[in-house]
Amino acid sequence: MLDLLIWLIRKIGLQNLATIGLLIGAFGALALGLSKIVRGFDLELAWTLIAVGIALGWLLAQSRASSQFACLCALIVGASAILGRVGQLGGRVITFARAFADLVWQIVLWLRDPLYARELPDAHASLRALGEFLSDLGTLLLRTRDWLGALATGAPTFDPVAVAITWSLAIWCIVVWAVWSIVRRGQTFQAFLPAIILLATMLAYTGADSAYLAPLLGATLLLMPLASQRARERAWARAGVAVAEDLTQDIAMLALPLAILLLLFAYLTPSISIQEIVRAAQERIEARTRDVPRLTDSFGLVPQSTQRTVFDQVRAPGLPRRHLLGAGQELSKQVVMIVKTDEIISDIDAPPRRYWRGSTYDRYNGRGWMTSATDIVDYRAGESAVAETNAAQRIVTQEVEWLGAPGIVYATGAFVTADQNFRVARRSPEDAFSVSASAKTYRVESRVSVVGERELRASGANYPAWVRERYLGSLDGIPERVRTLARDLTATAPTPYDRARALETYLRKFPYTLDVPAPPPNRDVVDYFLFDAKRGYCDYYASAMVVLARAAGLPARLVVGYAPGFFDVFTGRLIVTEADAHSWVEIYFPDYGWIEFEPTASRAPFERGEGTPRSEIVELPPTPEPNLLERLSRSGVRAWLWLPATFGVIALAIFAWTLFDDLRLRWMSPRAAIATTYQRVARFARRLDLPARASHTPSEIGALVREHLARLARAGRARALWQNADARVDALTALYVQAAYSPRAANARDRAEALSAWRDVRWRLGLAWMWQKIKRGRPG
């Protein structure tokens, strides 16, 4: 390890290593500060961008690239990395690369011998892979555009994908700009200014601790004298002035304590106040008071119940199904209620699938579910508890016979009224927690949504204010990897409905079992289920989907009640047992209300047609599978973009390779770079079937290539493409002969001339080779 450190110091330089260390510390503090105050901030991605940004910025600053070229290169690399990571596009890119490589190979074989190839090259796989990639990429860009548009219109919404893309791009630009400014321009203060302004503004807006600014300010104060000294040393070197070797170290040793003293003075001075001391004492007392329930739990004290209403037994926090009959997950076959609905059952083997809602929960604390504060409203029999009606919903009447003690009222969909006096515990007039009645037999009217997938996909995300405030609020305490998983699973889903289905599909892959150990103490239940247990029962599935949905920007809540039960064909009634006790998920869609989702693997998912559900309409012939054009059109990608998009991807790949190759040649020694470029010209001589032999000298091989290009220039067509190409080949050959056989060592100027000649001639040699292949492939 010590040998490696010594080698790095010799290879890179102590001052450069110190600069890189300060940059990593400063921008690491920036990332940590933003992760504390920005919901959905991906800290792991930020660290990756910081490391890659420092490396790329340093490489560009050390090269001879112009500022415009460096900016374009940094944007392309950064945007590709961010969109690839946030949008999970790596698999799409690999699939397209394989299909495109196969297509190129087919084209090469066809150009060699078109008569042997029975069919033309098949581009279908490449176009399909490209279409899928462009569809996902378009989804990412559209989500970001919609999020920015919502900000501009004053109706902001939270989209974790757009937030991750925006903040990651900001981090990337700040890092590359800082490295470029320090290394190329020697401007330390201007380099860190964007990062300081961004972090200071965010900390001031959120009221967070300003300690995260200290590393940024400290790095600025330390690098300013070092950068100034580096600029002076360069000027002295150009003037031939000798410089003491330890001068930079002396300056650093002087700057370090001064920077620390200034930071301590700036940090402590505004913090010394009587008001702050009093406030800190008050917060400490409140914190100790909040810890009292935890102390009682530690001593094994069991608080005695003080329930005053039937709602109190389902209001207490915890995992949902313990509120139901059976007091646990091992529920029996004892019948709890018998239900008859007014729905017409056309198929006794497939009656309408209705879940019986009992209570809904909106707050998750890491260990279970609870409800926000509620008020209780008494209603007379027949009085409607719903103030608003929804045209997309219809009334379903249910006759319920409850076999236990009277209490919670169970109904499918949104409760409207009952034929008995009832009470509603509600968080707001639009958001009921639960309903109770004193009768054991009652008739209930409720509203169920009649909607299909097409309508849900088109519903958008224009949520009412009460939905945004209650179901899209902060998810403090949720582990970061849960947020990241939610973002990754829904990044390329174009609509809220598609994101909900993506989460539901992912969770349904987890095996269902009642034999799952309880989560460890102080462990988040959802995190434990997703990453450790990876199996469970409905409480775990539903809790995980609600938390993931909210982290993905979807308003979701957990519902507790009963599954449909068994349909008795003789009586036309549904028999519901304790074993049907269930937890599921509801997600809010504008104009349609709360829609049910089933993430539990042991139960079938809800089937919704493209339009109105099957149970509500006459059976229609199946819709044929859409072709690639239709799929791309539905995804927002126009078919006429295929061809230019294909050429654009090819051009981008060629540009990226050319950029990488140029940078690699620049990093070579002058002699190695000149030799590499000449050897490439010699390989083209063999590809062009020129009579080049191993016994030929470099000048003879160069002459063969030059004469071939001169013949093309004299051929008549596209004469301008080949002008001066022969002269550039001669110049490159002469540089190689001089570097290989002359006693004078090649220098940086020779390397620059060789690279300039190679840039001029490489694309012309490629065109000459392709033109030769095409001419050979013509019949006759």
Side-chain angles (χ1 to χ4, degrees), residues 139-190:
T139 299
L140 292 174
L141 298 178
L142 287 174
R143 290 182 66 171
T144 305
R145 184 203 65 180
D146 294 342
W147 179 73
L148 293 174
L151 290 178
T153 57
T157 59
F158 175 73
D159 188 325
V161 172
V163 169
I165 291 175
T166 303
W167 283 107
S168 298
L169 190 59
I171 291 287
W172 173 261
C173 293
I174 285 174
V175 171
V176 176
W177 160 257
V179 177
W180 171 273
S181 299
I182 292 172
V183 179
R184 173 67 71 90
R185 299 179 177 180
Q187 299 174 343
T188 305
F189 180 73
Q190 292 86 339

Side-chain angles (χ1 to χ4, degrees), residues 79-102:
S80 301
I82 293 168
L83 292 175
R85 172 62 186 88
V86 175
Q88 301 292 290
L89 298 180
R92 299 293 192 194
V93 173
I94 292 174
T95 302
F96 172 71
R98 290 175 177 172
F100 182 72
D102 182 66

Side-chain angles (χ1 to χ4, degrees), residues 42 44-53 56 72-90 93 133 137 140 164-166 168-169 172-173 176 487-488 652:
D42 192 337
E44 180 181 352
L45 176 59
W47 277 111
T48 303
L49 293 176
I50 289 170
V52 177
L56 180 64
L72 178 62
C73 178
L75 284 177
I76 292 175
V77 174
S80 301
I82 293 168
L83 292 175
R85 172 62 186 88
V86 175
Q88 301 292 290
L89 298 180
V93 173
F133 168 76
L137 179 61
L140 292 174
I165 291 175
T166 303
S168 298
L169 190 59
W172 173 261
C173 293
V176 176
R487 188 198 66 205
D488 292 345
L652 182 60

Side-chain angles (χ1 to χ4, degrees), residues 60 64 77 120 124 233 248 272 275 283 309 354 368 453 549 612 637 671 704 738:
L60 292 173
R64 298 184 179 181
V77 174
L120 291 174
H124 181 72
E233 289 180 357
T248 302
I272 301 175
Q275 291 80 2
E283 291 176 355
T309 68
R354 301 300 182 196
E453 290 188 338
T612 307
V637 180
R671 181 172 181 174
L704 291 173
Q738 177 180 314

Side-chain angles (χ1 to χ4, degrees), residues 719-753:
R719 185 176 299 176
L721 290 176
W722 317 105
Q723 286 183 355
N724 299 326
D726 52 351
R728 302 299 281 170
V729 172
D730 282 341
L732 185 56
T733 304
L735 286 169
Y736 173 71
V737 171
Q738 177 180 314
Y741 304 106
S742 172
R744 186 181 75 86
N747 54 33
R749 179 175 295 180
D750 297 334
R751 178 178 58 192
E753 292 179 2

